[in-house]
Amino acid sequence: AGAARRRKAAPGLGKSKATIKGRVVKSAIEEYHKKKAVNHLRANLQYMTNGRCVADKAVTQQVLTQNRGRKSKDRPSEKKAKKKPEGTVFTEEDFRKFEREYFGM
């Protein structure tokens, strides 16, 4: 009797999903707003700066760093100190004078 019931009710045969009857139409904009991440940074910073006990600058900086993200595209590029080309002490005239004295030109 149990095997006959199992054969009779084949798996996956349920209510037909091909019809629109009984479906609720969802607004794409509402779904987007529902799933969109909320940015609490401004409210948190205002709370931390306006309170009686002002947070340390290190803590505020840490919050800003965490909010920025962990991916490399979110990180600011580290500014490397530009090396100045090493200039010579001698001018062009000094070099010509040296040539005349040393090489006798």
Side-chain angles (χ1 to χ4, degrees):
R5 261 193 236 127
R6 268 186 251 123
R7 267 188 263 126
K8 198 175 192 181
L13 292 178
K15 191 175 177 182
S16 174
K17 303 275 182 178
T19 62
I20 299 179
K21 185 179 179 184
R23 281 211 183 151
V24 178
V25 179
K26 295 180 182 177
S27 169
I29 297 170
E30 287 177 12
E31 289 296 313
Y32 170 75
H33 286 301
K34 214 186 300 181
K35 293 180 182 178
K36 188 174 107 176
V38 180
N39 190 356
H40 298 286
L41 174 67
R42 181 163 294 172
N44 288 344
L45 284 176
Q46 192 171 6
Y47 173 76
M48 285 195 299
T49 55
N50 290 345
R52 286 185 221 143
C53 178
V54 178
D56 294 336
K57 286 192 184 262
V59 175
T60 310
Q61 194 62 37
Q62 184 180 8
V63 170
L64 286 169
T65 305
Q66 289 172 350
N67 187 69
R68 191 168 43 225
R70 287 174 175 76
K71 293 182 180 177
S72 61
K73 69 175 185 177
D74 297 330
R75 297 278 171 194
S77 59
E78 295 176 8
K79 296 179 182 176
K80 296 178 182 174
K82 294 180 180 178
K83 291 183 179 178
K84 293 182 181 177
E86 294 180 13
T88 65
V89 181
F90 300 105
T91 62
E92 209 46 51
E93 289 181 23
D94 291 337
F95 187 69
R96 284 192 204 113
K97 185 178 176 185
F98 170 74
E99 277 185 328
R100 273 188 245 120
E101 288 177 2
Y102 192 74
F103 296 112
M105 294 183 166

